[in-house]
Amino acid sequence: VPETFAGLVNDKRGMVYVAQGKIEEAKAAYSQAYRGLAMLPESQQMVANKLSVLGVDVTTLVPAGEPRS
């Protein structure tokens, strides 16, 4: 998948995981989508809403390319 579409692909993966009841996998996919959609704020906000419903605080996510502490 080209990097420019990775955020959108991960958003769709998250939706599939939710439908399958795989919540932890959905959180991981949505988190990757959130990071990958930094250049598309409207799409990023939509993913942030999905993460919020799953109990993830997006302010704790490390932006793409930054090291985790």
Side-chain angles (χ1 to χ4, degrees):
V1 175
E3 190 172 327
T4 54
F5 296 112
L8 296 172
V9 169
N10 282 314
D11 176 42
K12 302 308 177 217
R13 282 188 181 132
M15 292 171 25
V16 170
Y17 286 138
V18 167
Q20 294 174 336
K22 298 178 179 180
I23 302 306
E24 292 306 312
E25 290 90 341
K27 288 178 184 180
Y30 283 142
S31 294
Q32 290 177 351
Y34 181 83
R35 291 183 195 101
L37 293 170
M39 299 302 289
L40 299 170
E42 296 86 6
S43 296
Q44 190 181 48
Q45 183 58 51
M46 187 172 57
V47 172
N49 292 340
K50 294 174 185 180
L51 283 164
S52 178
V53 167
L54 295 176
V56 177
D57 179 2
V58 296
T59 62
T60 64
L61 297 179
V62 176
E66 289 188 18
R68 293 182 184 269
S69 52

